[in-house]
Amino acid sequence: MTISKQELVDGIRFAGERAAAAAANCKDWDYQLGHQWTSGDAFRHIAAVSGAASNMYPLLDQGVLSGIPSEKIAENNDKAIAGLKEQSREDVCQAIIDGHKASAEFVATLDEEELSKVITLGGYEMPKAEILAQIWIHHPIHHAYEGSARWPIQ
């Protein structure tokens, strides 16, 4: 079962709106997560990558992304997060919404048949539409939950 183009477009917009809502409602942006990031860093990361679908999509067929070492990805993430450190919470939230909207608009222009093409990316072998869903729906929702969840609830 592959996500349709319209479901993907709607899902990307939804993920951006939900991530921005989690960011807006997160009480402590300086909360240390279980790794090197804070809650604010998780939301800055979402903002930094949210509008990149049009830049990343052409790379899916080239195999370039599978060859990037995880250390380089982490370094790029850290640079992007640092570049947003001085942005206000409101600006980060708006960047998440605007970026996801731009990515959704880009995906809306893609050919449904092209989106169903199965490719390999790292450990994934699935249709391009499903990889885009992993990156622009599952990924921001994951970081939004990670950045805002405080368990156990007391």
Side-chain angles (χ1 to χ4, degrees):
M1 161 174 29
T2 299
I3 191 169
S4 73
K5 181 170 80 169
Q6 190 59 54
E7 290 170 328
L8 182 58
V9 168
D10 293 343
I12 292 169
R13 285 192 181 108
F14 177 81
E17 291 165 4
R18 298 315 316 141
N25 289 299
C26 179
K27 188 173 183 176
D28 182 4
W29 270 41
D30 294 322
Y31 183 83
Q32 184 63 53
L33 301 175
H35 49 78
Q36 76 274 15
W37 289 357
T38 64
S39 290
D41 292 338
F43 294 115
R44 289 179 194 99
H45 170 66
I46 297 168
V49 299
S50 64
S54 62
N55 295 331
M56 185 179 266
Y57 186 78
L59 302 176
L60 293 177
D61 282 325
Q62 299 174 11
V64 172
L65 299 174
S66 292
I68 301 173
S70 59
E71 297 81 18
K72 183 65 174 169
I73 294 169
E75 179 183 315
N76 289 341
N77 286 340
D78 290 344
K79 285 180 187 176
I81 289 167
L84 295 174
K85 282 281 191 190
E86 301 305 315
Q87 295 291 316
S88 69
R89 179 188 300 233
E90 293 78 19
D91 288 343
V92 170
C93 291
Q94 193 61 53
I96 292 169
I97 292 169
D98 293 346
H100 276 78
K101 180 180 177 186
S103 287
E105 288 172 358
F106 168 75
V107 169
T109 69
L110 299 175
D111 179 69
E112 190 99 36
E113 187 173 320
E114 178 67 19
L115 285 168
S116 68
K117 180 181 171 188
V118 175
I119 63 168
T120 300
L121 176 62
Y124 297 115
E125 185 174 316
M126 59 180 68
K128 285 182 181 181
E130 291 297 330
I131 290 175
L132 292 176
Q134 288 286 332
I135 299 168
W136 277 278
I137 299 173
H138 303 237
H139 176 245
I141 294 293
H142 160 77
H143 284 303
Y145 180 77
E146 168 192 47
S148 63
R150 301 295 180 261
W151 293 97
I153 295 177
Q154 300 176 7

CSV table of all heavy atoms in Angstrom, one decimal, residues 108-138:
chain,number,residue,atom,x,y,z
A,108,ALA,N,3.2,18.3,-5.0
A,108,ALA,CA,2.0,18.3,-5.8
A,108,ALA,C,2.3,18.4,-7.3
A,108,ALA,O,1.5,18.0,-8.1
A,108,ALA,CB,1.1,19.5,-5.3
A,109,THR,N,3.5,18.9,-7.6
A,109,THR,CA,3.8,19.0,-9.0
A,109,THR,C,4.4,17.7,-9.6
A,109,THR,O,4.6,17.6,-10.8
A,109,THR,CB,4.9,20.1,-9.3
A,109,THR,OG1,6.2,19.7,-8.7
A,109,THR,CG2,4.4,21.4,-8.7
A,110,LEU,N,4.7,16.7,-8.8
A,110,LEU,CA,5.4,15.5,-9.2
A,110,LEU,C,4.4,14.5,-9.9
A,110,LEU,O,3.2,14.5,-9.6
A,110,LEU,CB,6.0,14.8,-8.0
A,110,LEU,CG,7.1,15.6,-7.4
A,110,LEU,CD1,7.7,14.9,-6.1
A,110,LEU,CD2,8.3,16.0,-8.3
A,111,ASP,N,4.9,13.7,-10.8
A,111,ASP,CA,4.1,12.7,-11.5
A,111,ASP,C,3.9,11.5,-10.6
A,111,ASP,O,4.8,11.0,-10.0
A,111,ASP,CB,4.9,12.3,-12.7
A,111,ASP,CG,4.2,11.3,-13.5
A,111,ASP,OD1,3.2,11.6,-14.1
A,111,ASP,OD2,4.7,10.1,-13.5
A,112,GLU,N,2.6,11.1,-10.5
A,112,GLU,CA,2.2,10.0,-9.7
A,112,GLU,C,3.0,8.7,-10.0
A,112,GLU,O,3.4,8.0,-9.2
A,112,GLU,CB,0.7,9.7,-9.8
A,112,GLU,CG,0.2,8.8,-8.8
A,112,GLU,CD,-0.5,9.4,-7.6
A,112,GLU,OE1,-1.1,10.5,-7.8
A,112,GLU,OE2,-0.4,8.9,-6.5
A,113,GLU,N,3.2,8.5,-11.3
A,113,GLU,CA,4.0,7.3,-11.7
A,113,GLU,C,5.4,7.3,-11.3
A,113,GLU,O,6.0,6.4,-10.8
A,113,GLU,CB,3.9,7.1,-13.3
A,113,GLU,CG,4.5,5.9,-13.8
A,113,GLU,CD,4.3,5.7,-15.3
A,113,GLU,OE1,3.2,6.0,-15.8
A,113,GLU,OE2,5.2,5.2,-15.9
A,114,GLU,N,6.0,8.5,-11.4
A,114,GLU,CA,7.4,8.7,-10.9
A,114,GLU,C,7.5,8.5,-9.4
A,114,GLU,O,8.4,7.9,-8.9
A,114,GLU,CB,7.9,10.1,-11.2
A,114,GLU,CG,9.2,10.5,-10.8
A,114,GLU,CD,10.4,9.6,-11.4
A,114,GLU,OE1,10.2,9.0,-12.5
A,114,GLU,OE2,11.5,9.6,-10.9
A,115,LEU,N,6.5,8.9,-8.6
A,115,LEU,CA,6.4,8.7,-7.2
A,115,LEU,C,6.3,7.3,-6.8
A,115,LEU,O,6.7,6.9,-5.7
A,115,LEU,CB,5.3,9.5,-6.6
A,115,LEU,CG,5.5,11.0,-6.4
A,115,LEU,CD1,4.2,11.7,-6.1
A,115,LEU,CD2,6.6,11.3,-5.5
A,116,SER,N,5.8,6.4,-7.7
A,116,SER,CA,5.6,5.0,-7.4
A,116,SER,C,6.8,4.2,-7.7
A,116,SER,O,6.9,3.0,-7.4
A,116,SER,CB,4.4,4.4,-8.1
A,116,SER,OG,4.6,4.4,-9.5
A,117,LYS,N,7.9,4.8,-8.3
A,117,LYS,CA,9.1,4.2,-8.7
A,117,LYS,C,9.8,3.7,-7.4
A,117,LYS,O,10.1,4.5,-6.5
A,117,LYS,CB,10.0,5.1,-9.5
A,117,LYS,CG,11.3,4.5,-9.9
A,117,LYS,CD,12.1,5.5,-10.7
A,117,LYS,CE,13.5,4.9,-10.9
A,117,LYS,NZ,14.4,6.0,-11.5
A,118,VAL,N,10.2,2.4,-7.3
A,118,VAL,CA,10.9,1.9,-6.2
A,118,VAL,C,12.3,2.2,-6.3
A,118,VAL,O,13.0,1.9,-7.4
A,118,VAL,CB,10.6,0.3,-6.1
A,118,VAL,CG1,11.4,-0.3,-4.9
A,118,VAL,CG2,9.1,0.1,-5.9
A,119,ILE,N,12.9,2.7,-5.3
A,119,ILE,CA,14.3,3.0,-5.2
A,119,ILE,C,14.9,2.5,-3.9
A,119,ILE,O,14.1,2.2,-2.9
A,119,ILE,CB,14.6,4.5,-5.4
A,119,ILE,CG1,14.1,5.3,-4.2
A,119,ILE,CG2,14.2,5.0,-6.7
A,119,ILE,CD1,14.5,6.8,-4.2
A,120,THR,N,16.2,2.5,-3.8
A,120,THR,CA,16.9,2.1,-2.6
A,120,THR,C,17.6,3.3,-2.0
A,120,THR,O,18.3,4.1,-2.7
A,120,THR,CB,17.9,1.0,-2.8
A,120,THR,OG1,17.3,-0.1,-3.3
A,120,THR,CG2,18.7,0.6,-1.5
A,121,LEU,N,17.4,3.6,-0.7
A,121,LEU,CA,18.0,4.7,-0.1
A,121,LEU,C,18.4,4.2,1.3
A,121,LEU,O,17.6,4.0,2.2
A,121,LEU,CB,17.1,5.9,0.1
A,121,LEU,CG,17.6,7.1,0.9
A,121,LEU,CD1,18.8,7.7,0.2
A,121,LEU,CD2,16.5,8.2,1.0
A,122,GLY,N,19.7,4.0,1.5
A,122,GLY,CA,20.2,3.5,2.7
A,122,GLY,C,19.6,2.1,3.0
A,122,GLY,O,19.6,1.3,2.1
A,123,GLY,N,18.9,2.0,4.1
A,123,GLY,CA,18.2,0.7,4.4
A,123,GLY,C,16.8,0.6,3.9
A,123,GLY,O,16.2,-0.4,4.1
A,124,TYR,N,16.4,1.6,3.2
A,124,TYR,CA,15.0,1.6,2.6
A,124,TYR,C,15.1,1.1,1.2
A,124,TYR,O,15.9,1.4,0.4
A,124,TYR,CB,14.4,3.0,2.6
A,124,TYR,CG,14.2,3.6,3.9
A,124,TYR,CD1,14.9,4.8,4.3
A,124,TYR,CD2,13.3,3.1,4.8
A,124,TYR,CE1,14.7,5.4,5.5
A,124,TYR,CE2,13.1,3.7,6.1
A,124,TYR,CZ,13.8,4.8,6.4
A,124,TYR,OH,13.6,5.4,7.6
A,125,GLU,N,14.1,0.3,0.8
A,125,GLU,CA,13.8,0.0,-0.6
A,125,GLU,C,12.3,0.1,-0.7
A,125,GLU,O,11.5,-0.8,-0.2
A,125,GLU,CB,14.2,-1.4,-0.9
A,125,GLU,CG,14.0,-1.7,-2.4
A,125,GLU,CD,14.6,-3.1,-2.8
A,125,GLU,OE1,15.7,-3.4,-2.4
A,125,GLU,OE2,13.9,-3.8,-3.6
A,126,MET,N,11.8,1.2,-1.3
A,126,MET,CA,10.4,1.5,-1.3
A,126,MET,C,10.1,2.5,-2.4
A,126,MET,O,11.1,3.2,-2.9
A,126,MET,CB,9.9,1.9,0.0
A,126,MET,CG,10.6,3.2,0.6
A,126,MET,SD,10.0,3.7,2.2
A,126,MET,CE,10.5,2.4,3.3
A,127,PRO,N,8.9,2.8,-2.7
A,127,PRO,CA,8.5,3.8,-3.7
A,127,PRO,C,9.0,5.2,-3.2
A,127,PRO,O,9.0,5.4,-2.0
A,127,PRO,CB,7.0,3.8,-3.7
A,127,PRO,CG,6.6,2.4,-3.3
A,127,PRO,CD,7.7,2.0,-2.3
A,128,LYS,N,9.3,6.0,-4.1
A,128,LYS,CA,9.7,7.4,-3.8
A,128,LYS,C,8.7,8.1,-2.9
A,128,LYS,O,9.1,8.8,-2.0
A,128,LYS,CB,10.0,8.2,-5.0
A,128,LYS,CG,11.2,7.9,-5.8
A,128,LYS,CD,11.3,8.8,-7.0
A,128,LYS,CE,12.5,8.6,-7.8
A,128,LYS,NZ,12.5,9.5,-9.0
A,129,ALA,N,7.5,7.9,-3.1
A,129,ALA,CA,6.4,8.5,-2.3
A,129,ALA,C,6.6,8.1,-0.9
A,129,ALA,O,6.4,9.0,0.0
A,129,ALA,CB,5.0,8.2,-2.8
A,130,GLU,N,6.9,6.9,-0.6
A,130,GLU,CA,7.0,6.4,0.8
A,130,GLU,C,8.3,7.0,1.4
A,130,GLU,O,8.3,7.3,2.6
A,130,GLU,CB,7.0,4.9,0.8
A,130,GLU,CG,5.7,4.3,0.5
A,130,GLU,CD,4.6,4.6,1.5
A,130,GLU,OE1,4.9,4.9,2.7
A,130,GLU,OE2,3.4,4.7,1.0
A,131,ILE,N,9.3,7.1,0.6
A,131,ILE,CA,10.6,7.8,1.2
A,131,ILE,C,10.3,9.2,1.5
A,131,ILE,O,10.7,9.7,2.6
A,131,ILE,CB,11.7,7.6,0.2
A,131,ILE,CG1,12.2,6.1,0.2
A,131,ILE,CG2,12.9,8.5,0.6
A,131,ILE,CD1,13.2,5.8,-0.8
A,132,LEU,N,9.6,9.9,0.6
A,132,LEU,CA,9.2,11.3,1.0
A,132,LEU,C,8.3,11.4,2.2
A,132,LEU,O,8.5,12.3,3.0
A,132,LEU,CB,8.5,11.9,-0.2
A,132,LEU,CG,9.3,12.2,-1.5
A,132,LEU,CD1,8.5,12.7,-2.6
A,132,LEU,CD2,10.5,13.1,-1.2
A,133,ALA,N,7.4,10.4,2.4
A,133,ALA,CA,6.6,10.4,3.6
A,133,ALA,C,7.5,10.1,4.8
A,133,ALA,O,7.3,10.8,5.9
A,133,ALA,CB,5.6,9.3,3.5
A,134,GLN,N,8.5,9.3,4.7
A,134,GLN,CA,9.4,9.1,5.8
A,134,GLN,C,10.1,10.4,6.2
A,134,GLN,O,10.2,10.7,7.4
A,134,GLN,CB,10.5,8.0,5.4
A,134,GLN,CG,10.1,6.6,5.3
A,134,GLN,CD,9.8,6.0,6.7
A,134,GLN,OE1,10.4,6.3,7.7
A,134,GLN,NE2,8.9,5.0,6.7
A,135,ILE,N,10.6,11.1,5.2
A,135,ILE,CA,11.4,12.3,5.5
A,135,ILE,C,10.5,13.5,5.9
A,135,ILE,O,10.9,14.3,6.8
A,135,ILE,CB,12.2,12.7,4.3
A,135,ILE,CG1,13.2,11.5,4.0
A,135,ILE,CG2,13.0,14.0,4.5
A,135,ILE,CD1,13.9,11.6,2.6
A,136,TRP,N,9.3,13.7,5.2
A,136,TRP,CA,8.6,15.0,5.5
A,136,TRP,C,7.3,14.8,6.3
A,136,TRP,O,6.6,15.7,6.6
A,136,TRP,CB,8.3,15.7,4.2
A,136,TRP,CG,9.5,16.5,3.8
A,136,TRP,CD1,9.8,17.8,4.3
A,136,TRP,CD2,10.6,16.2,3.0
A,136,TRP,NE1,11.0,18.2,3.8
A,136,TRP,CE2,11.5,17.2,3.0
A,136,TRP,CE3,10.9,15.1,2.2
A,136,TRP,CZ2,12.7,17.2,2.3
A,136,TRP,CZ3,12.1,15.0,1.5
A,136,TRP,CH2,12.9,16.1,1.6
A,137,ILE,N,7.0,13.5,6.7
A,137,ILE,CA,5.9,13.3,7.6
A,137,ILE,C,6.3,12.6,8.9
A,137,ILE,O,6.3,13.2,9.9
A,137,ILE,CB,4.7,12.5,6.9
A,137,ILE,CG1,4.2,13.2,5.7
A,137,ILE,CG2,3.6,12.2,7.9
A,137,ILE,CD1,3.2,12.3,4.8
A,138,HIS,N,6.9,11.4,8.7
A,138,HIS,CA,7.3,10.7,9.9
A,138,HIS,C,8.4,11.4,10.7
A,138,HIS,O,8.4,11.5,11.9
A,138,HIS,CB,7.8,9.3,9.5
A,138,HIS,CG,6.8,8.5,8.8
A,138,HIS,ND1,6.3,7.3,9.2
A,138,HIS,CD2,6.1,8.8,7.6
A,138,HIS,CE1,5.4,6.8,8.4
A,138,HIS,NE2,5.3,7.7,7.4
